[in-house]
Amino acid sequence: MLVAFNREFETCVPPVQVLEPRFANLLSRADVLVLLALDPEPEGFALATSRPSPYYDGPIYALDELYIAPDRRGRGLGTELIEHLVDDARARNIGEIQITVDEGDVDTRRFYEKHGFINLQDDE
């Protein structure tokens, strides 16, 4: 799915044989959270990493990736992933979830804002 995600957005991506061991390493770390959207097979995923922050008693999450296969979008799978991420963040005393969205990606920004996230980027 990570390869499909990057190809869809015309981003360079290493070959699968390079990604697999890297992803396996990430999955073994306590500071990495991977969520799968199942319908009933994997149709999307979210990848978040946590790190300490001087601004909160607990760490913060960076949502590094969120992807739903194009033919599965609009069925609530992305919403389910975001809801699970937020629930996990509350359970782990995560102070903030940071998300980076490309400047022109209006639909993605709208999706996150619909789920309570705010845009801190100055649009001017």
Side-chain angles (χ1 to χ4, degrees):
M1 281 187 283
L2 190 58
V3 172
F5 175 60
N6 284 280
R7 286 189 179 148
E8 180 179 345
F9 295 99
E10 299 177 357
T11 303
C12 293
V13 60
V16 172
Q17 62 267 28
V18 172
L19 286 175
E20 281 181 350
R22 290 178 182 170
F23 215 82
N25 180 53
L26 288 174
L27 290 172
S28 71
R29 297 176 55 117
D31 59 348
V32 173
L33 174 69
V34 176
L35 302 169
L36 287 177
L38 303 172
D39 188 32
E41 299 297 318
E43 304 291 352
F45 73 99
L47 169 69
T49 53
S50 64
R51 66 177 170 81
S53 171
Y55 300 104
Y56 302 97
D57 290 331
I60 62 172
Y61 266 157
L63 180 59
D64 299 307
E65 310 286 354
L66 186 134
Y67 177 74
I68 302 295
D71 62 336
R72 295 297 191 199
R73 293 181 188 153
R75 298 180 183 193
L77 297 173
T79 294
E80 288 181 26
L81 288 175
I82 288 294
E83 288 172 352
H84 284 291
L85 178 66
V86 169
D87 289 346
D88 185 83
R90 286 186 180 121
R92 295 176 188 246
N93 195 33
I94 301 291
E96 179 177 272
I97 300 172
Q98 296 178 344
I99 302 169
T100 302
V101 177
D102 291 337
E103 185 177 343
D105 199 344
V106 176
D107 290 338
T108 300
R109 285 173 59 177
R110 188 178 306 123
F111 170 81
Y112 289 121
E113 289 171 2
K114 178 178 105 175
H115 291 89
F117 293 89
I118 58 171
N119 178 17
L120 298 178
Q121 178 66 39
D122 184 9
D123 288 332
E124 295 178 24

